[in-house]
Amino acid sequence: MAAKDEPVVIKKYANRRLYNTGTSTYVTLEDLAEMVKKGEEFTVQDAKTGDDITHPVLTQIIFELENKDGQNMLPIPFLRQLIAFYGDQMQMIVPSFLEQSMIAFSKEQERFRDQMKSALGKTPMDMMKMPTPMKALEEQTRRNMEMFQNAMRMFTPFPGAGSASPNSAPEPAKPEPSEKGDDLQELKEQIAAMQRKLDKLS
């Protein structure tokens, strides 16, 4: 059994069954999805080898959810762009950017929920004076998309590994190998700049 504050260990067996060592019960992917929604931390291990397979299992959960009618959240243009980044030099930047974007979005979601809770005690006239929920959500989505597009433009000067997008900006002359250290430092500075922008949005 996992100690307090430690992630629960989920063991996956060869027959694809998942076993929650915290509750000593077998669980499904839907159960794991509910655990994620409740903020319960867990890791998934291969029962035979002990390898950490949390990433592929979480990806499988997303795949299952995306295939449910009316539940798909990932638009086709986003999926195409994401696939294009695999094997590209941008690949090392995308995970950090997506993680920080989701953190900022989650903070905005909490703020939005707090506003809705406080609005429940208001009169209908007070409610009419408030910005509509959908308008606020659309504005947040627009800001997130702008931030993502600006970040992508920021990194387009770096040469790709043969998988550049047709809409990407023309590439400048490739830097000499001796400049790799400088490039890495510049990337770190740009990530830090993106983080400061995300903090301002939250």
Side-chain angles (χ1 to χ4, degrees):
M1 180 132 181
K4 193 174 182 180
D5 298 330
E6 284 187 6
V8 173
V9 175
I10 308 293
K11 291 189 176 182
K12 186 175 184 181
Y13 291 89
N15 59 6
R16 297 187 179 181
R17 295 193 75 184
L18 299 161
Y19 184 77
N20 185 329
T21 61
T23 59
S24 300
T25 57
Y26 284 100
V27 293
T28 64
L29 289 177
E30 287 186 1
D31 294 327
L32 295 186
E34 285 303 314
M35 289 175 70
V36 171
K37 291 175 183 178
K38 292 175 182 176
E40 298 178 23
E41 293 288 334
F42 63 84
T43 60
V44 186
Q45 294 178 1
D46 185 294
K48 185 176 181 180
T49 65
D51 292 341
D52 188 324
I53 54 172
T54 308
H55 187 279
V57 169
L58 291 177
T59 305
Q60 188 180 356
I61 290 172
I62 292 173
F63 177 79
E64 295 288 338
L65 292 173
E66 283 289 310
N67 278 283
K68 284 188 176 180
D69 290 338
Q71 283 207 174
N72 54 321
M73 290 195 300
L74 303 177
I76 289 176
F78 172 80
L79 291 173
R80 290 184 189 278
Q81 194 165 22
L82 194 61
I83 290 169
F85 286 140
Y86 282 93
D88 190 273
Q89 287 185 355
M90 280 296 299
Q91 184 173 341
M92 60 185 279
I93 304 300
V94 173
S96 176
F97 178 80
L98 292 179
E99 182 179 2
Q100 295 303 323
S101 296
M102 290 304 293
I103 289 171
F105 188 80
S106 294
K107 287 180 180 176
E108 193 68 21
Q109 183 186 40
E110 284 302 315
R111 190 174 68 83
F112 180 73
R113 283 177 177 168
D114 290 341
Q115 287 179 344
M116 291 304 293
K117 282 180 183 176
S118 64
L120 291 176
K122 296 182 182 294
T123 66
M125 286 300 292
D126 291 332
M127 290 288 286
M128 288 176 67
K129 295 175 185 175
M130 293 181 64
T132 60
M134 283 306 297
K135 196 168 183 179
L137 202 56
E138 285 173 6
E139 175 62 18
Q140 177 61 27
T141 303
R142 185 189 63 77
R143 284 163 56 192
N144 283 353
M145 286 306 298
E146 277 183 6
M147 185 170 57
F148 183 74
Q149 288 166 355
N150 289 337
M152 292 304 99
R153 279 196 289 268
M154 185 190 311
F155 291 112
T156 47
F158 291 94
S163 59
S165 168
N167 297 326
S168 61
E171 296 179 355
K174 293 184 179 181
E176 295 299 322
S178 60
E179 296 177 3
K180 283 184 179 178
D182 293 337
D183 287 346
L184 186 58
Q185 181 59 34
E186 189 173 347
L187 284 175
K188 288 179 179 178
E189 290 172 1
Q190 290 174 335
I191 290 174
M194 285 194 322
Q195 178 61 57
R196 287 193 293 271
K197 289 180 181 178
L198 289 169
D199 291 340
K200 288 180 181 177
L201 289 175
S202 60

